[in-house]
Amino acid sequence: MSRAVAGPEIERLIQLLGRMPGLGPRSARRATLHLIKKRETLMAPLALALQDVLGKIVECQVCGNVDVRDPCTVCTDIHREAGVIVVVAEVADLWALERANAINAKYHVLGGVLSPLDGVGPDDLNLGKLVARVQAGGLDEVILALGATVDAQTTAHYITDLLRDSGVKVTRLAHGVPVGGELDHLDEGTLSAAIRARTTL
Amino acid sequence: MEWTDEGIVLGVRRHGESGAIVELMTRARGRHAGLVRGGASRRLAALLQPGNTLHAVWRARIESQLGLMVVEPVTLRSDGLMRSAHGSFGVTYLTTLLRLLPERDPHPGLFATLDAILDAFEAPAAAGELLARFEVALLAELGFGLDLTRCAATGGNNDLAFVSPKSGRAVSRAAGDPYADKLFPLPTFLIGGIVPPSLADMEDALRMTGHFLATRVLEPRGLSVPDARAGFLAALRREMAPGAGAR
């Protein structure tokens, strides 16, 4: 058993940082040492920012996004196309689409996908509010931006069924060759999806 | 400990940053899980999707451990399955059902049935028939087999037309007609009939197997019928409706 090299407060900080995605115990120690070295310029502002966000963070009651205001920044943005909703599984997917600047629409965050293995059923997802938003009218299209996994696509089919009688166009993302992808490096499933989804030039 | 086998992916769960715990229905060892290193990578994540058949090598120091699994593709079907509603719901339902089996309990017949079913699952007409057959096979594997070979009342094997909801045994038309409203219709495709089943036949078959699965398998375990089954049935009705283009 290794001996503690610092007081319990510092050890606790290392432990907590080690729980972050992408950080293990060694990198948590490095991050802690870095914070200690930069106490004034990094540690104090970080502590304040964490405290600030912790006190203000809320889930948007419209779309399920997380923000410090409700409705969130995305929902209140009047420059976004109001007739299109992009349905994503997680907030990380919303951020990824925004990072790509791929579409100027509003979003709806499900909070996961249907997964019998993990015990996630329709009641565990943010589906009721999606149906309510569609029923409220004013929408032209719902884009199901869900992953290319069986669970995600089962969720997409489930949502399509829910919205079938709404009269709103329901679309989903294409599956196939990624930009910059070389065919001989692609997995068989992606190649097969790309062949099926081929388009006429 | 080490074995090599073929297995159909039933489910996968991320483990840490890059690994995945995959659950396979193997040919010789039944339902078996293992840790796949790098299972979250783009290449392996595409393989580790429900419905795909993989070649798996499992290694562990002692048998009771989770063990490490190395996988290679054999038949990749998940892309085709997830494209259609009946395929997505169907494979989700099939994999959920197989989790009723105890772990590491061999069911080679069920593996072969599942493998054959998934190969033909993309066509909705075949999927409905095969799912009903799979449920009959699963009931038998779990010890609740239906007796569809002879009449429970007369012992004969001619003109079997009903199934008793209590005994799970077939009943001939002559003996069952007076009680037809209390019995399940027995579609002929389940007893070797050569006429391709209609949507109504499939619905009859699935109503019957659904009753026995619910009352004999799921309810005693405190489980309800998985939602994916209703999704599969709704998709089947839609895709096989006149004008839907299903074959």
Side-chain angles (χ1 to χ4, degrees):
Chain A
M1 195 176 153
S2 63
R3 287 181 295 183
V5 292
E9 293 85 357
I10 295 176
E11 285 295 334
R12 179 162 164 71
L13 179 60
I14 294 169
Q15 263 184 8
L16 290 172
L17 285 174
R19 290 192 204 165
M20 304 284 286
L23 293 186
R26 286 171 72 97
S27 39
R29 279 183 189 281
R30 286 182 60 202
T32 304
L33 277 173
H34 187 70
L35 287 170
I36 290 169
K37 273 186 193 166
K38 310 264 180 184
R39 257 168 288 182
E40 299 304 322
T41 55
L42 187 58
M43 197 182 212
L46 179 67
L48 276 176
L50 284 171
Q51 195 64 45
D52 202 22
V53 170
L54 178 67
K56 290 180 182 170
I57 195 137
V58 284
E59 186 175 296
C60 175
Q61 292 304 304
V62 178
C63 73
N65 187 15
V66 287
D67 203 344
V68 291
R69 60 169 88 157
D70 180 18
C72 69
T73 310
V74 174
C75 286
T76 50
D77 185 350
I78 55 168
H79 300 297
R80 287 176 184 270
E81 212 175 319
V84 181
I85 289 181
V86 182
V87 178
V88 292
E90 301 285 359
V91 174
D93 302 326
L94 187 160
W95 288 8
L97 283 166
E98 284 297 289
R99 210 166 49 234
N101 207 10
I103 189 163
N104 185 35
K106 304 223 170 177
Y107 289 88
H108 194 87
V109 183
L110 295 176
V113 292
L114 298 174
S115 172
L117 183 62
D118 296 323
V120 180
D123 295 340
D124 301 308
L125 301 180
N126 186 18
L127 289 169
K129 284 178 186 162
L130 174 64
V131 174
R133 287 177 80 182
V134 172
Q135 284 174 344
L139 287 180
D140 304 316
E141 185 175 359
V142 172
I143 302 173
L144 302 176
L146 301 172
T149 64
V150 169
D151 285 349
Q153 290 305 305
T154 303
T155 310
H157 289 297
Y158 185 83
I159 295 171
T160 308
D161 279 354
L162 278 182
L163 305 182
R164 190 166 299 281
D165 299 327
S166 66
V168 174
K169 182 163 82 168
V170 180
T171 56
R172 67 175 173 184
L173 299 187
H175 300 165
V177 183
V179 173
E182 305 263 4
L183 292 194
D184 63 343
H185 290 117
L186 288 183
D187 63 272
E188 295 84 344
T190 306
L191 276 173
S192 163
I195 288 289
R196 285 174 196 267
R198 65 189 182 276
T199 54
T200 307
L201 294 174
Chain B
M1 301 293 304
E2 178 173 333
W3 56 252
T4 301
D5 201 352
E6 270 187 19
I8 298 167
V9 180
L10 299 182
V12 65
R13 183 178 282 160
R14 282 285 285 268
H15 183 77
E17 293 283 311
S18 59
I21 295 173
V22 65
E23 192 176 18
L24 299 180
M25 179 67 191
T26 62
R27 188 186 296 277
R29 289 165 180 80
R31 199 159 65 86
H32 206 300
L35 173 65
V36 178
R37 283 194 176 139
S41 70
R42 192 180 292 178
R43 189 186 82 84
L44 284 175
L47 305 185
L48 301 179
Q49 287 299 307
N52 285 341
T53 300
L54 307 176
H55 176 270
V57 179
W58 178 85
R59 289 188 188 93
R61 196 167 51 80
I62 51 174
E63 193 165 352
S64 58
Q65 287 179 325
L66 173 66
L68 288 175
M69 215 177 250
V70 177
V71 295
E72 289 294 332
V74 176
T75 311
L76 299 183
R77 315 181 181 90
S78 61
D79 165 56
L81 291 169
M82 70 173 89
R83 285 176 69 237
S84 65
H86 82 267
S88 287
F89 287 120
V91 73
T92 301
Y93 176 58
L94 286 168
T95 54
T96 308
L97 275 188
L98 283 164
R99 288 201 193 94
L100 295 169
L101 298 171
E103 273 196 90
R104 304 188 182 191
D105 188 28
H107 292 273
L110 218 46
F111 171 87
T113 310
L114 180 67
D115 202 38
I117 283 176
L118 290 173
D119 278 341
F121 213 71
E122 284 191 42
E129 176 184 348
L130 292 168
L131 191 83
R133 289 184 188 280
F134 183 82
E135 289 185 333
V136 171
L138 184 75
L139 282 165
E141 290 280 335
L142 291 171
F144 303 106
L146 309 178
D147 181 1
L148 307 180
T149 56
R150 57 204 160 96
C151 175
T154 65
N157 57 7
N158 286 330
D159 201 19
L160 299 174
F162 302 101
V163 175
S164 162
K166 286 186 181 166
S167 68
R169 297 175 67 187
V171 181
S172 67
R173 193 176 307 281
D177 255 345
Y179 313 99
D181 57 332
K182 294 186 175 67
L183 302 172
F184 288 113
L186 173 58
T188 55
F189 78 89
L190 286 180
I191 49 171
I194 53 169
V195 179
S198 63
L199 176 60
D201 290 335
M202 289 180 215
E203 287 183 307
D204 282 344
L206 289 168
R207 197 175 303 118
M208 187 255 293
T209 53
H211 165 79
F212 290 113
L213 268 174
T215 57
R216 296 186 176 185
V217 179
L218 298 170
E219 285 167 12
R221 299 173 192 216
L223 302 170
S224 53
V225 177
D227 294 328
R229 193 178 196 270
F232 173 82
L233 277 167
L236 198 66
R237 287 188 195 109
R238 210 167 40 246
E239 292 168 21
M240 289 190 67
R247 280 174 295 277

